[in-house]
């Protein structure tokens, strides 16, 4: 009656998804800093893990939390996806408050004109965020000193 012991060094790992082409499996890269004892300089050390993603909910670029399995599911899969910490592309525009993916808005901007007029004008929002258009105008090429060859 031997008891199977799982030898897992890290119980919880956080990393970035770099591949989801396999069924129900995500390829996750974990980067950590390692000190070189001779040069006293830190270097990035990368390791790739395969994690079981049962619902295939992760996409490339997501930051995920992996949990070590008590025993491996297969030869390479020894972790499971516990949580998506940060979903890639879920950014909120600070002026409009709408979700943005790249340069495209995910939500329609039709009600934006009405909501901006009701809340506060755009100029007041820009002043609130301390964005000034005069800073670009003051740095004209005439004010920059000429460089001598």
């Amino acid at each position: 009656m031997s008891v199977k012991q799982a030898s897992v060094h890290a119980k919880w790992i956080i990393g970035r998804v770099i591949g989801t082409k396999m069924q129900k499996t995500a390829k996750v890269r974990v980067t950590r800093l390692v000190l070189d004892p001779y040069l006293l300089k830190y270097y990035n050390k990368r390791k790739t893990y395969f994690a079981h993603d049962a619902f295939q909910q992760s996409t490339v670029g997501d930051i995920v939390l992996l949990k070590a399995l008590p025993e491996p599911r297969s030869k390479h899969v020894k972790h499971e996806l516990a949580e998506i910490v940060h979903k890639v592309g879920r950014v909120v525009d600070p002026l409009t408050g709408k979700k943005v993916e790249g340069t495209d808005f995910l939500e329609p901007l039709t009600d934006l004109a009405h909501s901006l007029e009701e809340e506060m004008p755009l100029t007041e929002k820009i002043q609130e965020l301390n964005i000034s258009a005069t800073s670009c105008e003051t740095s004209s090429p005439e004010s920059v000193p000429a460089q001598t060859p």
Side-chain angles (χ1 to χ4, degrees), residues 92-98 112 116 119 122 125-126 129 131:
V92 177
D93 183 38
L95 288 177
T96 60
K98 303 285 184 179
L112 178 65
L116 280 178
E119 292 177 8
L122 186 60
K125 260 197 171 178
I126 291 174
L129 294 172
I131 300 172

Side-chain angles (χ1 to χ4, degrees), residues 122-133:
L122 186 60
T123 55
E124 289 180 15
K125 260 197 171 178
I126 291 174
Q127 288 174 353
E128 181 183 310
L129 294 172
N130 296 329
I131 300 172
S132 62

Side-chain angles (χ1 to χ4, degrees), residues 7 13 17 22 27-28 36 45 47 65 77 89-90 98-100 114 117 124 133 136 141-142 144 146 149:
S7 62
I13 302 172
V17 177
M22 295 169 279
K27 191 175 183 181
V28 179
D36 185 291
K45 188 171 184 179
K47 189 167 182 184
L65 182 67
V77 180
R90 304 294 173 151
K98 303 285 184 179
K99 289 186 179 178
V100 180
H114 301 296
E117 289 172 2
E124 289 180 15
C136 296
E142 298 162 357
V144 177

